[in-house]
Amino acid sequence: MNIQNFLTEVAILATGGIITVVAGYYLFINDLRKYLASKSVETKPSDPKRNEQLQILPLRLQAYERLVVFVDRINPSNLLIRVHQPGISVVDLQSVLLNEIKSEYQHNIAQQLYVSASTWEVVRKLKDDTLAMISNAARGLPTEAEGVDLSRKILQHMAGIADNPYDLTLDLIKKDIHLLF
């Protein structure tokens, strides 16, 4: 497989991930608008607990949105396209990938305050599993291999998984969001 075919495959996978996130966002935003419109009519100004819930709802929704973006950004099909550098070594690509994932996670760590504990645990485990998958793939390659070999090995591993864990995590996040309504 040459580099052009490889990049074409990666681009196709990334496009699918982006389309999924965008479609989910547009499906979700209409439900959110309907919910907020109906709840603003129902809310009594003298109900402090209800007012508190309405004030925190946007923060919770934003947290879920950020987790959707996080999951999309650490998905190897998107991550490999974003950090691709021609001629990079396996060791350097592994380092870039691991640092990118850790940085994204640290950027979103506060979101655990606003999402369910079970959802946060799944997101954290997805991050840990992604780091392990990259490290295991790199460990199986010779040190003189190129970064494209690591990318290929990671994508082949992903293709062999029956249920894409990134899609499953996004589905869980969407279900959690619907519980808010």
Side-chain angles (χ1 to χ4, degrees):
M1 178 188 290
N2 65 28
I3 190 74
Q4 186 177 10
N5 288 342
F6 169 74
L7 291 177
T8 302
E9 288 178 11
V10 170
I12 290 169
L13 289 172
T15 303
I18 291 169
I19 289 171
T20 301
V21 170
V22 170
Y25 174 77
Y26 283 109
L27 291 172
F28 167 74
I29 198 69
N30 288 332
D31 289 342
L32 174 63
R33 287 183 181 137
K34 290 176 187 175
Y35 174 79
L36 291 177
S38 70
K39 291 303 176 186
S40 66
V41 172
E42 294 176 13
T43 304
K44 298 176 186 174
S46 61
D47 186 359
K49 184 170 175 106
R50 189 71 171 146
N51 285 338
E52 183 179 306
Q53 288 175 343
L54 285 176
Q55 288 176 350
I56 201 163
L57 181 64
L59 295 173
R60 293 189 72 192
L61 291 173
Q62 182 182 30
Y64 282 110
E65 287 175 5
R66 287 183 60 179
L67 289 183
V68 166
V69 172
F70 171 73
V71 169
D72 186 62
R73 288 182 62 82
I74 69 166
N75 185 328
S77 62
N78 298 332
L79 180 62
L80 290 168
I81 288 176
R82 198 170 60 253
V83 302
H84 175 73
Q85 298 171 15
I88 192 170
S89 72
V90 168
V91 174
D92 289 341
L93 180 59
Q94 177 188 9
S95 177
V96 168
L97 293 171
L98 297 179
N99 287 335
E100 183 75 15
I101 292 168
K102 290 174 184 176
S103 174
E104 287 286 339
Y105 183 76
Q106 289 302 316
H107 182 72
N108 289 291
I109 196 133
Q111 303 319 308
Q112 66 184 300
L113 297 172
Y114 302 104
V115 300
S116 71
S118 61
T119 295
W120 180 255
E121 183 59 26
V122 168
V123 169
R124 188 196 57 74
K125 184 168 178 4
L126 181 69
K127 182 259 313 175
D128 291 342
D129 290 349
T130 304
L131 293 172
M133 175 183 54
I134 292 167
S135 295
N136 290 337
R139 201 171 303 126
L141 292 172
T143 55
E144 65 274 0
E146 294 183 8
V148 71
D149 298 321
L150 176 59
S151 297
R152 185 178 300 117
K153 190 167 182 181
I154 291 169
L155 292 174
Q156 286 172 344
H157 174 77
M158 289 299 301
I161 298 174
D163 293 320
N164 184 317
Y166 303 91
D167 292 341
L168 294 174
T169 303
L170 289 173
D171 288 343
L172 174 68
I173 292 170
K174 290 173 192 175
K175 286 178 185 174
D176 257 17
I177 289 170
H178 286 106
L179 291 176
L180 294 175
F181 305 109

